[in-house]
Amino acid sequence: MAMEEGYDYPVRRNADLGQALGLDNDTIRNIELNKRCLEYGATIPLFEVLKEYPPDEYFPLFGIGTVLLVINTVLCFLELRKHRLYSRGATFTMAMRTMAILFAFWLFAFTSWVGMISLRSSKYLHFVAVTFEAFCIWGFFENMVSHLKSKGYFGKDVTDGMSLQVGPCCCCLRCLPPAPRKPSTIVSFRRIIYQMIICQTSFESVRVIMVFECRYDPNSPVKLIIDAIILTSFLFAMWTLMVIYRSSYKVLAPFSYGLKFGSFKLMIFLSKFVYTILAWVASAGKIPNYVNDNGDTIVRGKQRVEIWMNFVTITASTLLFYLSKNLYQTSDYDHLKPRGRSSNSNADQVDLESVDINEDDHSP
């Protein structure tokens, strides 16, 4: 039954009055969902509104963020150009994984910059960043395994093992024996990384769909359960990386994997930490809503927090990119060259097409 004209939303969304008007439950439910979508959109300002009624901090942060993004773009272009010279032959898989990790610094800055323009896209951009982060963790794992294989760390005849008593699962794994340094162990560890990628991608996809369907409730118990599952899956994957790194840190020391991974995760940690702190301050009413001269609320305190979070992400990703780019040396590819050939890290003097060494490419 169609709605009669003259009834405003408060009347139409009331279930009792809806039934009194002869509306069925499906119609009442659809009205409720439409109202929630309207309310969700009404609380997030468009860029046209921000341009006309910007908070005091908006344009200064946006201008600085734009400059930092340009710097980040130049750094990304130069680094990818350097490593692209190795994206052939035996060094192809490692070069592509390294380029993906370096590209992540730019991707986080770019998605955050777009998030400052379109606050409504934050949920969807967060999905892109989180999914790519999971892929980069797989890249770190595969690069470490590739270096260890080149050093003969894994093999059927190796008798030493890898201790499983490392964080964050060190307390609950004391009863387990060391893991053998054999190819089958790497296969098992790789599956643990895969489950993290599948878990994060699947649940983040569901989260995006819920936002599209106007069913996303950040205070819902379902969200807490999903976050707990994602966190558990992530910690399990981190434990796998720690087992590999802690058992072979002397072999991996020349490649600076600790600093590489630490700078990568610090970029993500800073953005989430700042958002958590500011969101808590905003929930306590310490960050006021921005209102225009007519007293209309233009930007709520929580949206101001998202602006600051995006700015911090752009700043952190650019600075950490600049500080950590020298850790990704082209000499990391030297272990793939045939023995007896001179080691030269200058890509212009290396004939990569003549290298003929097989390296397994395990992509999720």
Side-chain angles (χ1 to χ4, degrees):
M1 176 179 177
M3 287 292 181
E4 297 181 12
E5 297 182 357
Y7 290 98
D8 57 6
Y9 267 104
V11 174
R12 290 186 294 176
R13 68 184 176 88
N14 185 282
D16 295 333
L17 291 179
Q19 293 176 356
L21 292 171
L23 304 178
D24 55 29
N25 293 331
D26 291 337
T27 303
I28 297 173
R29 181 172 175 272
N30 290 333
I31 294 172
E32 288 287 346
L33 292 177
N34 291 333
K35 175 184 176 296
R36 286 162 58 182
C37 289
L38 291 173
E39 289 180 345
Y40 176 78
T43 59
I44 303 178
L46 297 172
F47 183 62
E48 288 78 7
V49 178
L50 288 175
K51 288 192 301 182
E52 187 174 357
Y53 303 102
D56 296 336
E57 73 275 8
Y58 180 72
F59 277 121
L61 294 181
F62 182 75
I64 298 174
T66 302
V67 174
L68 291 175
L69 178 64
V70 172
I71 297 174
N72 197 314
T73 303
V74 174
L75 291 175
C76 183
F77 173 78
L78 295 176
E79 290 299 309
L80 294 184
R81 182 183 179 184
K82 179 175 66 176
H83 289 271
R84 184 183 62 84
L85 298 174
Y86 289 85
S87 59
R88 293 176 294 175
T91 58
F92 172 77
T93 52
M94 176 168 285
M96 294 302 295
R97 291 191 293 260
T98 302
M99 291 168 63
I101 295 171
L102 293 171
F103 179 76
F105 287 93
W106 178 86
L107 180 64
F108 273 82
F110 177 73
T111 54
S112 299
W113 181 79
V114 174
M116 295 186 71
I117 298 177
S118 175
L119 295 179
R120 300 189 179 196
S121 65
S122 296
K123 299 296 182 184
Y124 319 117
L125 297 174
H126 175 75
F127 163 74
V128 175
V130 169
T131 303
F132 200 79
E133 175 196 0
F135 176 80
C136 290
I137 292 175
W138 166 81
F140 277 111
F141 172 83
E142 292 293 346
N143 283 357
M144 285 195 298
V145 170
S146 179
H147 278 120
L148 291 175
K149 284 183 177 180
S150 69
K151 301 293 185 180
Y153 190 78
F154 296 103
K156 296 181 179 179
D157 299 329
V158 178
T159 57
D160 295 337
M162 297 179 293
S163 175
L164 300 178
Q165 299 179 21
V166 298
C169 303
C170 54
C171 299
C172 57
L173 298 176
R174 295 183 179 275
C175 59
L176 296 181
R181 285 161 42 185
K182 298 184 181 299
S184 59
T185 303
I186 296 302
V187 173
S188 300
F189 284 171
R190 186 175 288 117
R191 290 172 179 171
I192 295 176
I193 301 295
Y194 289 170
Q195 65 81 26
M196 182 266 299
I197 297 175
I198 295 173
C199 180
Q200 289 205 4
T201 303
S202 301
F203 282 109
E204 289 296 335
S205 300
V206 172
R207 199 193 304 268
V208 170
I209 293 174
M210 292 175 66
V211 173
F212 270 118
E213 294 294 325
C214 302
R215 297 176 179 272
Y216 180 75
D217 183 5
N219 300 318
S220 172
V222 177
K223 176 186 177 297
L224 298 178
I225 294 175
I226 292 177
D227 289 343
I229 295 175
I230 294 176
L231 179 61
T232 302
S233 174
F234 173 78
L235 292 178
F236 200 22
M238 291 300 98
W239 167 78
T240 302
L241 289 179
M242 288 300 298
V243 169
I244 296 291
Y245 181 75
R246 286 287 299 275
S247 64
S248 59
Y249 67 94
K250 292 183 179 180
V251 180
L252 295 175
F255 307 108
S256 304
Y257 275 107
L259 293 176
K260 289 177 181 177
F261 189 74
S263 61
F264 176 78
K265 289 302 298 180
L266 182 60
M267 169 186 63
I268 302 170
F269 172 78
L270 285 177
S271 62
K272 293 183 178 181
F273 178 76
V274 170
Y275 177 77
T276 302
I277 296 299
L278 293 180
W280 177 78
V281 174
S283 63
K286 302 299 183 180
I287 300 180
N289 299 334
Y290 180 77
V291 297
N292 60 10
D293 296 335
N294 297 326
D296 300 326
T297 299
I298 304 300
V299 183
R300 297 178 181 270
K302 188 174 181 180
Q303 273 71 57
R304 300 181 77 174
V305 167
E306 292 184 0
I307 294 174
W308 274 98
M309 181 199 69
N310 289 325
F311 174 76
V312 169
T313 303
I314 297 173
T315 305
S317 61
T318 303
L319 293 179
L320 290 173
F321 195 2
Y322 176 77
L323 295 175
S324 63
K325 64 183 179 63
N326 292 329
L327 297 174
Y328 299 86
Q329 298 290 337
T330 55
S331 58
D332 292 350
Y333 305 112
D334 290 345
H335 73 290
L336 295 177
K337 299 175 184 177
R339 295 182 179 179
R341 183 168 299 185
S342 60
S343 176
N344 190 344
S345 61
N346 189 344
D348 295 332
Q349 301 177 7
V350 176
D351 184 10
L352 295 174
E353 293 182 343
S354 63
V355 179
D356 187 17
I357 295 180
N358 292 326
E359 181 187 20
D360 295 336
D361 179 16
H362 301 279
S363 57

